[in-house]
Amino acid sequence: MTLKIAFISLGCSKNLINTEQMMALCKAAGHQVTGEPEGADVAVLNTCGFIDAAKSEAIEHIIALGELKQAGKLGKLLVCGCLSQRYPEEIKKDLPEVDGLMGTGSYDQIVSAVEAVAKGENPDLFGDISATSEEGERLVTTPGYTAFLKIAEGCDNFCAFCIIPYLRGRYRSRPMEAILQEAKELADAGVKELILIAQDIGPYGKDLYGERKLSELLRQLCKLPFHWIRLHYLYPDHFDDEVIRVIASQPRIVKYLDIPLQHCSDRLLKSMNRWGTKESLTTLLQNLREKIPGLVLRTSLICGLPGETEEDFEDLCQFVTETGIERAGVFQYSREEGTRAAEMPDQVPEEVAQQRVDRLIELQSRVLDEYNESRLGTVMEVLCEGFDNEMGCYVGRTYADSVEVDGHVYFTAAGLVPAGTFVNVRMTGTEDGDLTGEVEE
Ligand code: SF4
């Protein structure tokens, strides 16, 4: 029986790849896959569940899909991913609209799960979250010129505030041949921008080969005809000289690094089981800027960690200003049961934490504006992402802008600029964190 299966993917790019792999498995089994739940036999909701905001979003989707079922516009609902891995009993008890559950260790059983719910059964599949998953095809859902490439799953860092290692398991590198094979298929399919992801790409290879292999993997990937190779989620203590040398010397690797730091206070970094001190982080960023000309940094920061004082926060603000980090995701600490931080004394009141988030975003946006102003009058290469009807011009990104998280360039051109092509744009203005310009004919 051919089923019409709708897939909805929430959360991070790593979760998106799991969704794409499940879509490919269902298609290979002869089922029809779609992104539209209305009219589907089964909807598969791949959830995120690592902080409150993500949990609320997932529950809102479950309720909305439940209403579609109620209205007879959707057959069954299968929920998988981090929320179901974390709260299976609560979901069964409180969300009766859910017909089946799968954990993060069971993605490769998606076909039998959807066929079971379609028959009216209630599958409950929770495999080993640290098991090495089968290498499989995926239906890439990002625009044809950009694609994520997951090089490992899980995490061994056990930051005190983070629940992810308990949802995604221990660190498992993918075999290099499998990564390179997938990368070749993506390049053959016309992908121009390859974005490397994992919970932490830094220790790649250590578990599988007994030594870090990120620099070797990067050299191999640079033999493929990608225009841009972008690195996300580099934990700060994984920067050996070899990795820096490869990033600096390989033109395909964009001089843009996403290094989640979370904070800079020595005391808080220690209590959160994170590497480094304010001094060592400052030295690392200075060293990277010296060795990688034109480097643009992205980071993620948390305000309101247990024990954070006003002085610590001021310290963080000074650190962001002094290091000139051009891009930052600023988050309010989320007290997650099951983490060590949740049990710590000196929890910061939520309203205080939120005020600090607002102040830090305000401050960081000034750093971002300074960076954009420094681009005015220069010509930068832009990946065109299409024509923005609302803005009445083309929109794209420079090497300094990653997908979904950074700004854009809005630009005009005399001729047609197809999506997925690179053009040189002279920057003429800035607006709300974005740049504007015109194609340099
Ligand atoms: S590095 Fe830390 S914050 Fe990131 S996934 Fe691992 S434990 Fe969580």
Side-chain angles (χ1 to χ4, degrees):
M1 177 177 72
T2 300
L3 295 171
K4 186 174 181 185
I5 308 167
F7 283 87
I8 302 134
S9 197
L10 304 179
C12 66
S13 48
K14 285 113 12 195
N15 220 26
L16 178 66
I17 290 192
N18 293 127
T19 303
E20 293 175 346
Q21 289 165 335
M22 289 192 287
M23 292 168 76
L25 286 168
C26 289
K27 193 158 184 247
H31 298 300
Q32 189 195 341
V33 296
T34 170
E36 175 51 60
E38 200 156 324
D41 300 304
V42 180
V44 178
L45 180 67
N46 191 12
T47 62
C48 176
F50 83 120
I51 55 172
D52 284 347
K55 292 183 265 183
S56 311
E57 184 194 24
I59 293 164
E60 281 157 24
H61 275 77
I62 291 172
I63 292 167
L65 291 164
E67 283 158 6
L68 268 186
K69 281 178 59 182
Q70 206 78 30
K73 296 178 180 167
L74 170 63
K76 299 290 183 179
L77 173 56
L78 178 68
V79 172
C80 58
C82 291
L83 188 83
S84 56
Q85 180 66 42
R86 195 169 176 190
Y87 302 109
E89 299 317 316
E90 292 83 349
I91 293 173
K92 279 182 235 170
K93 188 164 62 60
D94 304 332
L95 296 164
E97 52 268 72
V98 175
D99 300 293
L101 282 176
M102 275 192 352
T104 58
S106 306
Y107 287 121
D108 51 6
Q109 296 175 54
I110 183 66
V111 175
S112 57
V114 287
E115 290 173 353
V117 281
K119 279 186 282 179
E121 297 165 19
N122 303 107
D124 200 0
L125 303 168
F126 288 86
D128 173 3
I129 63 171
S130 291
T132 306
S133 51
E134 286 303 307
E135 289 293 333
E137 301 297 308
R138 51 191 275 223
L139 290 186
V140 177
T141 58
T142 44
Y145 48 81
T146 287
F148 295 107
L149 179 66
K150 184 159 42 174
I151 66 172
E153 183 54 274
C155 188
D156 289 348
N157 294 329
F158 291 96
C159 304
F161 54 81
C162 183
I163 197 75
I164 292 172
Y166 308 99
L167 303 180
R168 289 283 169 167
R170 301 309 299 266
Y171 197 87
R172 291 98 74 203
S173 301
R174 293 178 61 198
M176 196 174 296
E177 312 74 58
I179 296 172
L180 293 173
Q181 177 55 36
E182 185 178 340
K184 184 173 180 322
E185 287 160 14
L186 292 170
D188 293 348
V191 169
K192 304 275 178 35
E193 177 186 34
L194 185 74
I195 306 175
L196 261 60
I197 59 171
Q199 301 300 348
D200 177 5
I201 66 172
Y204 173 74
K206 193 129 185 356
D207 56 310
L208 200 54
Y209 306 110
E211 59 176 337
R212 289 185 193 151
K213 293 267 189 182
L214 182 60
S215 47
E216 185 182 331
L217 174 64
L218 291 176
R219 267 195 229 93
Q220 296 300 327
L221 287 170
C222 287
K223 293 177 183 163
L224 295 166
F226 296 110
H227 196 85
W228 284 347
I229 296 174
R230 192 181 291 280
L231 311 184
H232 270 268
Y233 309 106
L234 274 149
Y235 192 88
D237 84 331
H238 297 325
F239 281 95
D240 57 41
D241 290 344
E242 190 49 27
V243 167
I244 298 175
R245 221 187 336 272
V246 172
I247 295 169
S249 62
Q250 295 283 349
R252 291 185 202 283
I253 300 177
V254 294
K255 309 316 177 223
Y256 168 104
L257 293 176
D258 166 39
I259 309 174
L261 298 174
Q262 314 302 3
H263 213 287
C264 69
S265 148
D266 298 7
R267 182 173 45 77
L268 289 177
L269 288 169
K270 190 160 187 299
S271 66
M272 291 303 128
N273 190 35
R274 291 211 38 114
W275 175 87
T277 62
K278 184 176 180 185
E279 191 187 342
S280 63
L281 292 177
T282 305
T283 306
L284 169 69
L285 301 186
Q286 276 165 355
N287 184 27
L288 290 172
R289 288 197 191 281
E290 271 158 34
K291 296 208 171 112
I292 308 172
L295 180 64
V296 165
L297 290 168
R298 158 164 275 281
T299 194
S300 51
L301 302 167
I302 301 176
C303 297
L305 288 166
E308 185 188 54
T309 63
E310 185 57 27
E311 197 194 345
D312 293 324
F313 175 68
E314 293 300 337
D315 226 13
L316 183 60
C317 293
Q318 188 199 16
F319 174 80
V320 168
T321 306
E322 284 173 0
T323 55
I325 296 174
E326 292 88 351
R327 279 97 172 79
V330 181
F331 302 92
Q332 179 183 338
Y333 167 69
S334 184
R335 189 176 186 177
E336 295 302 322
E337 84 279 355
T339 65
R340 279 193 307 109
E343 306 311 317
M344 288 180 182
D346 306 324
Q347 297 283 330
V348 175
E350 290 200 8
E351 61 280 6
V352 173
Q354 186 53 53
Q355 284 159 9
R356 288 176 182 168
V357 168
D358 299 342
R359 286 161 59 194
L360 189 51
I361 288 175
E362 167 57 33
L363 179 140
Q364 204 283 325
S365 65
R366 287 203 289 277
V367 177
L368 167 65
D369 290 344
E370 268 168 42
Y371 170 77
N372 280 346
E373 268 134 38
S374 74
R375 302 295 85 200
L376 295 184
T378 69
V379 174
M380 297 182 77
E381 187 180 47
V382 170
L383 168 58
C384 179
E385 297 191 296
F387 192 83
D388 185 309
N389 292 318
E390 216 177 291
M391 297 287 282
C393 64
Y394 290 99
V395 60
R397 292 179 285 112
T398 70
Y399 80 89
D401 313 305
S402 189
V403 285
E404 294 159 9
V405 289
D406 296 323
H408 291 86
V409 179
Y410 294 93
F411 64 96
T412 57
L416 275 185
V417 184
T421 58
F422 292 86
V423 286
N424 291 324
V425 173
R426 180 172 297 282
M427 302 306 169
T428 56
T430 75
E431 202 174 320
D432 301 335
D434 296 317
L435 283 162
T436 59
E438 53 206 28
V439 165
E440 188 82 347
E441 303 301 343

